[in-house]
Amino acid sequence: HNHTEQQSKQLFKTILKSVVKIYCTYTEPHFALPWQMKRQDSSTSSGFIVQPKRIMGNAHGIAFHSVVRVRRHGCSKKFIARVLHVGHECDLCLLTVDDPEFWTDYLNPLPLGEVPQLQDAINVVGYPTGGDNVSVSQGIVSRVGVGKYSHTDQPLLAVQIDAAINAGNSGGPAVKSNKVVGVAFETLDDAENIGYIIPTPVIRHFLTDIERHNDYRGLCTLGVHWQTIENKGMKLALKLETRKKKRTTKKNQRGRGGHGEGGGGGVLVRKVDPLADTSRVLKPNDVLMEFDGQRIASDGTVVFREGERVDFSYLVTSKYVGDTASVTYMRDGSLKKGTVTLQTNIPLVKTHMYDQKTSYFIYGGLVFTALSYPYLEAEYGKKWDKKAPIKLCDYAFFGIPKKKDEQVVILNQVLISDVNIGYETFSNLRLYKINDRKIINMKQLVKVLTSYSGEFVRLHLEQDHFIVLDCKEAHETHSTILSQNNIPRDVSLDLEPHVAARFRKAIRDCTT
């Protein structure tokens, strides 16, 4: 018994050697003033050796990174790390260190285990605030289910534990029987000792995707908006149940819902994203009964393990981009089958813009940009969903693109000048048209505005607001407006290639 205990302690020491502290220096963009960056800042998090010369950590621990450094357990030197792959949706990243000195003291990749059972005891290893040395805290698994990851609001499988996961702990391994069963990544606000770990199915999906394609391609979506079917009247109307049922055997009483749920299983399809391949097969008012052979209950769950059910989106996100899946659905009382190709989600309004910069364009003092969640947070604060205009929230929560490159182009603000007097109060309004030409994204906006050769340009905004600018005066005041507001560029670098040569010439002619 003592020998076994000694071996276990020795193994745990090996695990501690493979846990590293990650130091990140980062600079976030200012999404409301897109030509500016915020003040440089720094943070720490944890990581561990997951593969030979590969360090796993949290994506939120290295977001907007300028420099990333790592330090081994028991070592004083920090080594420059290189970011190889980032999966912001699953909040994971993969790093390496090019300096061979870092790997001289052999660091063992930690083996991955399975999803822990309820009431299992696990150890969370990392570098939380309050000290510089490695910390080990123990917790009990209290829940396994699909929940939204706070980094991007992506619903994924997560494991809840009663160990506190403090700042700096993120990215550290959760260990059971000397195997990694998860990665610590967040805690529940306004609650004591409730933390969450990313379970191994999500970790394996991330690593396998990189192995297959030498890149992380993201998570799949079915592209279906659905609702539960728990009302008896709805079940009858959709022909999932009949008013009078004949006596059946116990085996048949499971019905279409399956797994002991009773008849009437499945979820109601409310709408299907037109860009998703699923739109070929499913239509609104269909009842989705099965996904890849697994029956979906009327509350939208599927069997995960004995006695445990999770949201069926778990099955979808377990697939890889480009994979096919079978769907069984009911339409007008008839059971049908189909096959769909799974793709990543294409949002109308981006939910995150980590490691990206905002596109913008300034014309006649009018600042245009694309609507995004980070923009709304920069304008209205973290509770923007309660403070932002209802129309902008509607685009953010319920907008569905009809084209792959569609964006919500908005007038961010008006930098006042003689050319735009009378419009200075206009802000955060969607741009619909320029001279009766519908605008679908920032690239088109730049092309249309800079190539226009007329005397006046007319812009149609939401709420039936209109702006009419004198083009010649807009060109003449262009450089002065930029100079007065200390703006170095009138357009973001990604949109510069779409600026018409005649616009640049007109600006030069006005300044000479």
Side-chain angles (χ1 to χ4, degrees), residues 56 92 112 180 182-183 198-208:
M56 174 164 281
L92 293 171
L112 299 179
V180 174
V183 175
I198 301 169
T200 48
V202 179
I203 298 169
R204 287 193 175 100
H205 183 280
F206 175 69
L207 294 173
T208 304

Side-chain angles (χ1 to χ4, degrees), residues 97-139:
V97 176
D98 294 326
D99 190 339
E101 186 189 340
F102 179 81
W103 307 99
T104 49
D105 186 10
Y106 185 68
L107 302 174
N108 291 306
L110 302 183
L112 299 179
E114 300 305 317
V115 179
Q117 300 288 334
L118 298 180
Q119 290 298 303
D120 276 357
I122 61 174
N123 292 307
V124 178
V125 187
Y127 293 86
T129 53
D132 202 38
N133 291 328
V134 71
S135 165
V136 181
S137 55
Q138 193 175 69

Side-chain angles (χ1 to χ4, degrees), residues 83 109 140 341 350:
V83 178
I140 302 296
T341 302
K350 286 186 178 181

Side-chain angles (χ1 to χ4, degrees), residues 98-376:
D98 294 326
D99 190 339
E101 186 189 340
F102 179 81
W103 307 99
T104 49
D105 186 10
Y106 185 68
L107 302 174
N108 291 306
L110 302 183
L112 299 179
E114 300 305 317
V115 179
Q117 300 288 334
L118 298 180
Q119 290 298 303
D120 276 357
I122 61 174
N123 292 307
V124 178
V125 187
Y127 293 86
T129 53
D132 202 38
N133 291 328
V134 71
S135 165
V136 181
S137 55
Q138 193 175 69
I140 302 296
V141 174
S142 53
R143 184 181 297 164
V144 178
V146 172
K148 281 189 176 181
Y149 285 22
S150 61
H151 187 50
T152 59
D153 275 349
Q154 172 69 45
L156 281 174
L157 192 67
V159 176
Q160 181 181 308
I161 59 175
D162 66 359
I165 295 174
N166 298 311
N169 240 140
S170 295
V175 181
K176 177 200 164 193
S177 303
N178 296 315
K179 286 187 176 181
V180 174
V181 294
V183 175
F185 77 113
E186 66 184 29
T187 188
L188 187 65
D189 289 339
D190 303 322
E192 290 185 7
N193 294 337
I194 295 182
Y196 294 90
I197 63 172
I198 301 169
T200 48
V202 179
I203 298 169
R204 287 193 175 100
H205 183 280
F206 175 69
L207 294 173
T208 304
D209 201 14
I210 292 168
E211 286 170 11
R212 287 183 182 180
H213 307 103
N214 199 30
D215 190 23
Y216 179 66
R217 301 190 302 165
L219 296 167
C220 293
T221 179
L222 195 58
V224 168
H225 304 260
W226 55 270
Q227 72 177 64
T228 60
I229 308 176
E230 298 179 288
N231 180 269
K232 189 175 181 181
M234 182 180 279
K235 290 181 181 182
L236 290 170
L238 293 169
K239 300 178 182 177
L240 295 172
E241 291 182 357
T242 53
R243 290 187 184 278
K244 292 182 180 179
K245 289 188 176 180
K246 294 179 181 178
R247 241 175 123 182
T248 57
T249 63
K250 192 171 183 180
K251 183 179 178 182
N252 288 334
Q253 281 175 358
R254 289 170 63 170
R256 292 191 181 106
H259 301 290
E261 185 223 35
V267 293
L268 178 67
V269 176
R270 294 191 293 113
K271 54 185 176 181
V272 185
D273 294 349
L275 297 178
D277 185 62
T278 313
S279 61
R280 291 185 304 103
V281 179
L282 297 177
K283 295 179 180 178
N285 295 320
D286 286 347
V287 178
L288 182 59
M289 312 285 289
E290 293 181 5
F291 179 86
D292 243 14
Q294 291 215 39
R295 292 179 180 179
I296 302 170
S298 58
D299 63 351
T301 61
V302 292
V303 170
F304 176 62
R305 295 186 298 205
E306 188 176 350
E308 294 178 78
R309 303 185 71 88
V310 296
D311 192 288
F312 85 92
S313 64
Y314 160 70
L315 299 177
V316 181
T317 54
S318 297
K319 292 280 194 175
Y320 297 89
V321 177
D323 283 359
T324 56
S326 62
V327 290
T328 303
Y329 58 100
M330 182 170 283
R331 181 177 296 163
D332 300 325
S334 300
L335 208 59
K336 299 177 181 290
K337 289 180 180 289
T339 303
V340 297
T341 302
L342 300 173
Q343 303 156 326
T344 54
N345 184 39
I346 302 173
L348 179 65
V349 177
K350 286 186 178 181
T351 55
H352 70 87
M353 291 187 69
Y354 295 111
D355 306 323
Q356 301 175 49
K357 291 181 181 177
T358 310
S359 299
Y360 73 91
F361 180 59
I362 302 171
Y363 182 91
L366 310 182
V367 182
F368 297 99
T369 189
L371 187 66
S372 67
Y373 279 45
Y375 173 83
L376 287 166

